[in-house]
Amino acid sequence: MGLLDKKYHDSNIIIVSLESALNWARKSSLWYEQFGLACCAIEMMATAASHYDFDRFGIIPRSSPRQADVMIVAGTVTMKMASRIERLYEQMSEPRYVISMGSCSNSGGPYWEHGYHVLKGVDKVIPVDVYVPGCPPRPEALLEGFLTLQKKIENESIIESKPSDKITEEADRHETT
Amino acid sequence: MESTFLQWLAEPGLTHYLMVSAILFSLGLLAVISRKNVIMVLMGVELILNSANLNFIAFSRFTELALDGQMIALFVIIIAAAEAAVALAIVLNIYNRFKTINLNDISLMKG
Amino acid sequence: MKQPEEIAAYLKDKIVKGVLEFVPAEIGQPWITLAPDSIKNIAKFLRDDSELRFNTLMCLSGVHYPAEQELGVTYHLHSTTFGHTVALKVRVPIDNPRVQSVESVWKTADWHEREAWDMLGIIFDGHPNMTRILCPDDWEGHPLRKDYVQQETYQGITTRF
Amino acid sequence: MQTQIKEGFQTFKSIFIGMGITLRHFFQPSVTIQYPEVRDVLPAGARSKLFVNIDDCIGCNLCARACPVNCIDIETVKATADIDLGKTSTGNPKRLWVTQFDIDMSKCMYCDLCVHPCPTNCIYMVQEYEYSEFDRKNLIFKFSDLTPDKVIEVKEKLVKETEEKNREKELAQQKKDQEKEKDAGKTGE
Amino acid sequence: MTHQISANVQETREMTINMGPQHPSTHGVLRLEVVLNGEVVSRVHPHIGYLHRCFEKHAEAMDDYSKVIPYTDRIDYVSAMNQEHGYVIAVEKLLQLEVPERVEYVRVILAELQRIASHLLGIGTFGLDLGAFTPFLYCFIEREKILTIFEKISGARLLYNYICVGGLMRDVPDSFKPETADFVKTFRPKIKELNDLLSYNKIFIDRTANIGILPAEVALNYAASGPMLRGSGVSWDLRKNDPYSIYDRFEFDIPVGSGEVGTVGDCWDRYMVRVREMEQSLVIIEQALEQMPDEGNVMEAVPKRIRMKEGEVYVRTETPRGELGYYIISDKSPSPFRVKVRAPSFVNLSILPAISRGALLSDLVAIVGSIDIVLGEVDR
Amino acid sequence: MLPEFGNVLLFFVIGALFVAIALFAAKLIRPHRPNAIKLSTYECGEIPIGTARVQFNNRFYIIGLMFLIFEVEILLLFPWAMVFKELGWVAFGAMFVFVFLIFIGFAYELGKGQLKWDKPVPAVPRYVEGIGVVDGEHPDMGLSAMMPEPEMDVTK
Amino acid sequence: MELSAILFYVFTLLTLGSAAYMVFSKNIVNAAFALIFSLSGVAALYVLLYADFIAATQILVYVGGILILILFGIMLTTLDFTENLKTVTVNMLPASLLSGAVAVLLLYVFLSAEWTTIVPADRDGTMYDLGMMLMNEYLLPFQIAGVLLLVAIIGALLMSTRHKNEP
Amino acid sequence: MLEFLENIIPSSTIALVVFALFPLVLILVYALFAIWAERKIAGFIQDRLGPMRTGGFHGWAQTIADMLKLIQKEDIIPKDASSFLFKLAPFMIFTASYAAFAVIPFSSGYIGSNINIGAFYLLAITSFLTISIIMASWASNNKWSLVGGMRTAAQMVSYEVPTIVTVLSVLIVASSMNLMTITEMQTGNDIMGFLPNWFIFQNPFLIVAFALFFISMLAESHRVPFDLPESESELVAGYQTEYSGMRWGMFMLAEYADMLLLSLLGATLFFGGWNSPFGTFMSGPVWGFGWFMLKGMLLVFVMMWIRWTLPRYRVDQLMHICWSILIPLSFVNFVLVALWEMIF
Ligand code: SF4
Ligand code: SF4
Ligand code: SF4
């Protein structure tokens, strides 16, 4: 329906300046979905706590995915959890972003070889925007991940399409079959 | 003729309100007699009470009933509240007893 | 406070059947082997006997012994009343891995037994809810068996890197 | 009734005590680190990112073997005789080309286990922790400084050398055989 | 007839609701299938395994006993030091290895510091579950101080891989002693502040007292351990009752639940045991700092290669959450034959269905919080 | 009087218009990419079991009932409050009787324990010697149902 | 046309429209929500009739009280909302005919009757006068209302109490 | 103020609209400020800083960014939801809380609608909030929403009783329901020679009434320790769980507006509204507005301070507090206030 659906194919001054304003708003108010999976979640909590303070960047937790903008996959995603992660991601309202925090969600991490029940990288089920390495990443590293994401959002264009369209179609197919 | 009708339309007086109240009343009546769900019936009763109240207030404004009309309306509202409370309590009781609030089923069960 | 040897002797003394032998250990702890079809009764005796009072089941672990083609269950008990501990073992053949459940004796065995079923495929007779606990219900195989082969996909997702 | 009043009193008292504490904190300075502008100094030995000083690496594969996760991928090629790879700064002679030294930091669990066994202390943790990426492949760090051409070259060289060696060996063998034959012939004669 | 109907009512009133895996107060990826009657919990079915990371398989797959240590960290990521400690003690027992004095003291101090850090997290999140956000952050401020100490000695903030078989990965820095002493000093008043702000807050007491009562005998039958058991009034602490390492050298008390504001074994008691345990840990740390030898090679007893005999041990240690058991069977190969972890959270969580029946939904949150589970440990 | 109420209406209209405009502005900008999973009901990442629209406890109902009657009673005091100062003790007496009546109802209410919300009936599990753990009393569970039959004696 | 006349029609439309929706709606919850608008419309009509206190009372009692109670009642007694939400309407046709007839009759009576109306005067609030009346002429009804409500409380509670001790 | 506007604006209709838009602007500015302030206060209480980066100085533009972002968020209407009611609820909740502002006397020169039954009207209109919350929770067809919504309804309904009774206690002192008149009655500094004529000083029992009012106000606007409707740790996000984007923004806005409304009502009834505490010093329409806002903000601050200190109550305790403590107390207090008025 709207601008973010790329319905308006002209990039005049208004759209461009509107675009930068919108990008600014999106990047300055990244509300993350409050859930943690494993050890990394503890560091995520530490990042939200007083010492590092997510709120400085305007990042606050929301426990309902409907109101969240970014999903921090903090920890090991297991096979049992994979479909839930996918559902939670889908239930977020767009525009949405995913930060993969820590080795486990990047690629299975320490469990990539023998972990029969571990999903080898969360990007197998949902599209990831930023990978933050570490096991667990230091809180600063997570903050830096957010800064990286902000950079990405800054350069986003309303006219261009986002990669998440693909998964959306996929999910559609998923449900109907 | 036409202009008088328009004028009549343009100046809502007692009759207008009475007409609204009449329609409201019949709608309430319809709900009461056509619905089988007790709560639906109750809602119909509320409509009927409201139509009566509308009458009272219209009379209080346009006739020399004056504030007494409003006073009566006030008491009607109070009684409506009491009625709703008791009626719903009865509904609840019926429900607890018969596991349904459908009037037909209730009359079939008889205790 | 009793030593494991004493407990074994005491058991042999008291119980009709099921107590097989006392195995002293080279390093680590000794244990008592029991028969799989009498473990429940013995467990109950261990719990309620006034001289033993093993009121806690610390741990219940399943083990796969590929060389002997056997599965085993180890019970670690201790008593807060007397402060003594003992290890019991049960061995069953892998093609008929049935052990009596001790869930009704020590409630803690509930989840432990489910885990042993999930991980090693040991069936506990008399358990009220013998379902998988860690792996999803539609998982294939019992991962902690030594010959376990990881399934290739799960719900359409590859399990390998 | 009396207990209720007492309870109510306690409720208010505890609430006011709590509010006093929070008010005190309200006026205390914050403990927050202004991260992108101000950084904490990491203590010595902080484990944030692996680094390999490839000049010192002798390709012994000890680190890869010590890794519980197997995220170090080392491929070595023996240096040919004509080339002297020099020595490491710790004095160990280098005999292998390290044609591939990849560490997949997206798998690593930063356990430090690979650091200890290294004979030349050339793999170690550095204090850089900000390297998040848009693409996971960028988290595989390649430390080998050989260009692909070079890799091919050294591989070919090695192959050649081995072939040569083999040929030499064969030749030697043949010679030996011939000699043997000769000897046999001699004896036979 | 009447009877049937009432049974019917029960059924239709009930609503099954999934709490978790993504829920703010399940402390991770626990899923509770809650059957509610109104807001009253009729039944709870915990579904676990959402974080099953195959630890036991990994332990068997490693070709060295020491390679398992980083994985043990990840079992209970909130108290990694205690996990390492337990595992290392088990392996040392199999090897019949003696470790140097200094190592033992450092280990004990670290374990106790970790206990404080872990309890701070547990207490903080418990408060958070009940809606108190600020104490949670105060706890984190204190916890951060401990993490800083840990980072200085081991290089990592959360998962240390610091204690190794026979010793420590590296010696502690010189600053370790004074910093720890300093922390002990500054932390005492904070406990009082926490008590004022949260523990004795009337609303908090109202929310936690008489909720989730777990009688002592039942707790033992369920093999509950740690604060969960002590909260029920059983004075059972492996550090005292079955001392391992050098715990027999220290003087300290075992705090038990006394039903100060409610019934013995309720949520508040479990909570308060944790708070008091932090005080006791401080006492232990103080003594250990005093007795700790200043010199000594921490790598002295570390074996070059671990050569194992056949055998098996069950070693239990007291982690912040309770009795951690490592059941290790070794054969002659360099990798363990079987490692079974008896995780305290796993056992403690299994009590949840029994003690939460008849409670309100809000109480369920409090009960789950008071058990203080770590899902990594529950699922392993 | 009517113009003043006209202002009230104006406030209503402006309030509604504001919401409409805000939502319309959002509609111009926001994306709209529904899919089946996205439109499914959220329940902590699980597929919901059963419907959300189940029956509710009758405490809610009693609360509503009490509220309604109280509200109506207080309502009658509003006109009274306007004239109370002029009429003096008579009005005070009338009010007092009225409030007293309310209080009788209230006391009845409290006495019946109707206003107690779903008071948690924590089911405390028990340990019975020789039998094991027995779940605590719960309305839908009889104690005898939990007791297992006595086991055979295995001792000599 | 005067503004107040326009408003009269707007609110009449709101009242009657939502009342009709309520009556013909299949979904009982929707019907209840429709009733809100109908009753609010009536309240607005009261305002047009210079009965401000009654109008606010209407909102307070109906929207804030009775409707919430009705909604609770619906949610309490409807077993399965997916089906029973649709309430059965069997004799719809005769019922509509009957109530249509009643409406026509009433309309006829109202239209044909000669009402002695007075010229309405602008009044500035009715509160004070209402209070005065309540304390004088209506003192007895005032107290009786109190007793009535007391009885209502007791009656309603007696009736909604379960026979057994329920949790 | 209307006259002033009519003077500068040619069309009187537009002037009227501008006149009625004033509280909207106020609410928006207030919401932008209050949400930021809430985060800042939370930050300071928790030894952190709160928003720091967005917009420069102490993240002042944080809420603007949040709002702008909410506008861009996709709007999801779950397929099991009753879509019409789902859409209607945000309309109703915001409209109702905005309409309630019509009778608040912002300064001696500004009141949206000077109706005689102001206070009564305000109480009546807030019942729309309850209905819209039930509507939202029912329409969402989500279990968390429904549990949250029912709790909210019960809570708001219950606490409405003490609220009304305490307001009524003030009204018997004032003998008027017109909030403007009530405020005017509190002008002057006569009590003990220096205390302002605020109602809270006029009748000692009104102090108790204020305490009761404040507690029920916390509950009515869902603030800690009575924030059960949204209690994150229990009900995810309560009745708002399924709402996203701007629709959710409306709920948030309404919530903050509600908080302001009740604070301002409290300030009007107990603290003299726009009256200056120093008699005629620093009084006048503009100053009055400042004073009024200051008083309201102070109450708001206390609410936030409480929020970041206390845990929350359980639902049965909440009901217990209301029905067994607040309501009897407020009635007794009401009688005592009347008695005091009779005697003095
Ligand atoms: S990446 Fe490391 S710290 Fe994070 S969840 Fe995985 S194992 Fe734990
Ligand atoms: S730090 Fe650990 S996981 Fe990473 S490469 Fe080294 S040994 Fe492997
Ligand atoms: S251990 Fe050191 S020298 Fe050997 S391969 Fe690794 S980095 Fe190179």
Side-chain angles (χ1 to χ4, degrees), chain E residues 219-263:
Chain E
L220 284 171
N221 195 282
Y222 267 103
S225 50
M228 186 95 179
L229 181 63
R230 291 192 280 278
S232 299
V234 182
S235 167
W236 179 263
D237 189 324
L238 292 172
R239 290 175 295 171
K240 263 243 156 77
N241 295 64
D242 186 8
Y244 54 95
S245 193
I246 48 167
Y247 274 109
D248 43 359
R249 299 184 200 175
F250 306 116
E251 291 268 330
F252 62 97
D253 299 329
I254 309 174
V256 290
S258 58
E260 190 179 330
V261 297
T263 321

Side-chain angles (χ1 to χ4, degrees), chain A residues 34-35 37-39 42-43 45-46 49 51-52 63 76 78 80-81 84 88 110-111 115-117 135 138-139, chain E residues 21-22 24 29 48-54 57-58 61 71 74 77 125 137 140-141 143-144 151 157-158:
Chain A
Q34 190 184 31
F35 83 115
L37 295 165
C39 353
I42 306 288
E43 279 301 73
M45 276 153 82
H51 248 77
Y52 299 96
S63 25
T76 321
T78 57
K80 209 171 175 177
M81 195 63 198
R84 273 91 183 176
L88 285 173
Y111 305 98
Y116 49 88
H117 191 240
C135 182
R138 288 181 63 83
Chain E
Q22 184 262 338
V29 284
I48 61 172
Y50 290 91
L51 192 54
H52 177 46
R53 297 193 280 192
C54 335
K57 193 79 184 170
H58 277 93
Y71 286 100
R74 282 155 181 80
Y77 33 79
T125 45
L137 290 181
F140 257 77
I141 293 172
R143 187 169 171 273
E144 205 67 34
E151 188 174 20
R157 277 168 52 87
L158 193 66

Side-chain angles (χ1 to χ4, degrees), chain D residues 50 63 66-69 71-72 103 108-114 125:
Chain D
L50 276 173
C63 51
C67 176
V69 182
C71 62
I72 306 180
I103 302 185
C108 174
M109 65 165 155
Y110 302 80
C111 61
D112 226 12
L113 282 178
C114 52
M125 291 279 188

Side-chain angles (χ1 to χ4, degrees), chain F residues 1 3-23 25-27 29-44 47-54 56 59-60 62-68 70-71 73-75 77-90 92 95-96 99 102-103 106 109-110 115-120, chain H residues 16-17 19-21 23-24 28 70-82 90-91 94-96 98-99 101-103 110 112-115 117 120-121 123 125 128 138-144 146-147 150-151 154 157-158 160-161 164-165 167-168 171-177 236 241-242 246-247 250 253 314-316 319 323-324 327-328 331-332 334-335 338-339 341-343:
Chain F
M1 189 189 108
E4 295 294 347
F5 271 96
N7 278 4
V8 172
L9 184 67
L10 193 63
F11 270 75
F12 267 100
V13 172
I14 287 179
L17 268 184
F18 169 72
V19 183
I21 290 170
L23 289 182
K27 193 162 187 166
I29 293 171
R30 73 185 176 217
H32 180 65
R33 303 170 197 140
N35 68 43
I37 305 180
K38 195 186 275 173
L39 296 186
S40 65
T41 305
Y42 163 82
E43 199 175 315
C44 297
I47 300 169
I49 310 167
T51 169
R53 291 168 178 169
V54 297
F56 266 86
R59 310 286 149 173
F60 284 105
I62 289 177
I63 292 285
L65 190 125
M66 287 299 301
F67 163 71
L68 176 63
F70 270 89
E71 195 182 34
E73 305 206 29
I74 302 165
L75 189 94
L77 289 176
F78 271 86
W80 167 84
M82 297 297 100
V83 297
F84 150 75
K85 277 197 176 159
E86 277 172 45
L87 294 179
W89 285 105
V90 180
F92 183 82
M95 179 276 283
F96 194 81
V99 171
I102 300 180
F103 249 86
F106 196 75
E109 193 81 51
L110 282 182
L115 287 178
K116 290 218 168 66
W117 197 252
D118 298 343
K119 245 248 150 85
Chain H
L16 193 65
V17 170
F19 172 76
L21 271 177
L24 182 65
L28 289 181
L70 280 178
I71 285 187
Q72 304 171 54
K73 290 293 278 181
E74 188 184 1
D75 174 61
I76 300 172
I77 299 171
K79 72 171 181 297
D80 291 342
S82 318
F91 268 94
F94 185 78
T95 311
Y98 183 64
F101 276 92
V103 293
Y110 184 91
S113 157
N114 197 3
I115 52 177
I117 51 160
F120 192 62
Y121 159 81
L123 294 174
I125 220 73
F128 272 108
W138 166 263
S140 299
N141 194 7
N142 175 305
K143 287 166 194 167
W144 300 116
L146 209 59
V147 174
M150 292 313 253
R151 274 187 185 185
V157 150
S158 307
E160 207 156 320
V161 180
I164 298 180
V165 176
V167 169
L168 192 58
L171 296 188
I172 51 174
V173 179
S175 280
S176 166
M177 287 206 272
V236 186
T241 304
E242 291 285 359
M246 211 50 204
R247 278 188 219 286
M250 285 300 139
L253 209 55
R314 200 172 54 208
V315 59
D316 64 310
M319 291 300 160
W323 288 99
S324 329
I327 292 180
F331 268 113
V332 170
F334 168 74
V335 174
L339 204 62
E341 284 298 310
M342 282 311 297
I343 295 170

Side-chain angles (χ1 to χ4, degrees), chain D:
Chain D
M1 195 64 191
Q2 212 165 10
T3 55
Q4 271 174 3
I5 291 170
K6 221 163 93 192
E7 275 204 3
F9 175 71
Q10 270 175 1
T11 311
F12 278 105
K13 191 175 146 208
S14 66
I15 286 175
F16 284 129
I17 287 175
M19 285 175 73
I21 290 171
T22 43
L23 194 68
R24 203 165 65 229
H25 278 270
F26 190 85
F27 294 111
Q28 268 173 15
S30 69
V31 295
T32 312
I33 302 158
Q34 291 292 332
Y35 158 65
E37 289 88 34
V38 188
R39 274 147 218 262
D40 255 357
V41 187
L42 297 197
R47 291 153 26 192
S48 311
K49 186 183 177 185
L50 276 173
F51 181 75
V52 180
N53 182 357
I54 197 72
D55 293 338
D56 273 3
C57 176
I58 55 169
C60 64
N61 212 12
L62 279 179
C63 51
R65 247 184 287 154
C67 176
V69 182
N70 289 342
C71 62
I72 306 180
D73 224 338
I74 300 178
E75 193 181 85
T76 50
V77 173
K78 224 152 85 206
T80 41
D82 56 328
I83 285 178
D84 182 16
L85 283 174
K87 281 189 175 171
T88 64
S89 54
T90 48
N92 305 39
K94 285 168 77 170
R95 296 210 178 78
L96 303 167
W97 287 107
V98 184
T99 53
Q100 188 195 358
F101 198 120
D102 294 354
I103 302 185
D104 189 344
M105 292 311 267
S106 76
K107 288 179 194 157
C108 174
M109 65 165 155
Y110 302 80
C111 61
D112 226 12
L113 282 178
C114 52
V115 174
H116 297 278
C118 179
T120 62
N121 290 336
C122 64
I123 179 167
Y124 48 85
M125 291 279 188
V126 287
Q127 311 226 333
E128 182 197 334
Y129 48 79
E130 300 147 302
Y131 49 109
S132 56
E133 289 290 348
F134 295 129
D135 190 349
R136 189 170 82 202
K137 289 199 192 68
N138 296 347
L139 286 176
I140 302 175
F141 288 84
K142 299 187 190 318
F143 289 101
S144 172
D145 55 355
L146 301 181
T147 54
D149 293 346
K150 183 82 180 173
V151 172
I152 295 169
E153 191 192 313
V154 296
K155 275 190 182 156
E156 274 171 4
K157 254 189 179 170
L158 182 69
V159 171
K160 245 184 244 159
E161 205 194 51
T162 10
E163 272 173 15
E164 221 147 83
K165 262 189 194 157
N166 284 354
R167 215 177 309 134
E168 264 169 35
K169 249 189 215 161
E170 256 170 48
L171 278 180
Q173 191 72 30
Q174 277 176 8
K175 246 186 213 163
K176 249 189 202 164
D177 288 350
Q178 280 172 6
E179 264 167 34
K180 258 186 195 165
E181 266 171 38
K182 253 184 217 164
D183 282 353
K186 260 182 201 166
T187 45
E189 264 175 42

Side-chain angles (χ1 to χ4, degrees), chain A residues 7-172:
Chain A
K7 287 285 161 66
Y8 303 95
H9 279 287
D10 53 341
S11 48
N12 54 34
I13 291 287
I14 297 172
I15 294 277
V16 168
S17 58
L18 179 69
E19 181 179 295
S20 61
L22 293 182
N23 284 351
W24 169 79
R26 272 214 304 288
K27 83 165 211 221
S28 312
S29 145
L30 287 166
W31 296 356
Y32 69 93
E33 190 176 347
Q34 190 184 31
F35 83 115
L37 295 165
C39 353
C40 283
I42 306 288
E43 279 301 73
M44 187 175 86
M45 276 153 82
T47 323
S50 299
H51 248 77
Y52 299 96
D53 194 8
F54 263 152
D55 206 8
R56 273 185 309 128
F57 299 80
I59 303 165
I60 50 170
R62 286 302 310 172
S63 25
S64 166
R66 305 287 192 195
Q67 294 134 26
D69 306 298
V70 50
M71 181 183 208
I72 308 176
V73 186
T76 321
V77 184
T78 57
M79 288 298 169
K80 209 171 175 177
M81 195 63 198
S83 59
R84 273 91 183 176
I85 293 262
E86 194 186 342
R87 185 168 307 120
L88 285 173
Y89 172 74
E90 279 302 338
Q91 284 178 344
M92 282 162 74
S93 60
E94 288 177 52
R96 54 196 173 188
Y97 305 93
V98 176
I99 290 183
S100 157
M101 178 189 183
S103 298
C104 282
S105 59
N106 288 350
S107 69
Y111 305 98
W112 74 276
E113 206 177 3
H114 308 290
Y116 49 88
H117 191 240
V118 175
L119 183 69
K120 311 303 181 314
V122 73
D123 45 7
K124 287 195 175 194
V125 287
I126 57 175
V128 175
D129 289 290
V130 174
Y131 296 86
V132 181
C135 182
R138 288 181 63 83
E140 285 104 325
L142 180 58
L143 287 177
E144 198 259 347
F146 266 101
L147 293 177
T148 319
L149 181 63
Q150 289 190 345
K151 253 179 243 144
K152 180 175 184 166
I153 296 173
E154 248 167 52
N155 298 328
E156 246 176 21
S157 160
I158 304 180
I159 313 295
E160 269 170 43
S161 70
K162 237 178 74 81
S164 64
D165 288 0
K166 205 182 80 236
I167 180 97
T168 310
E169 279 156 29
E170 227 165 71
D172 250 340

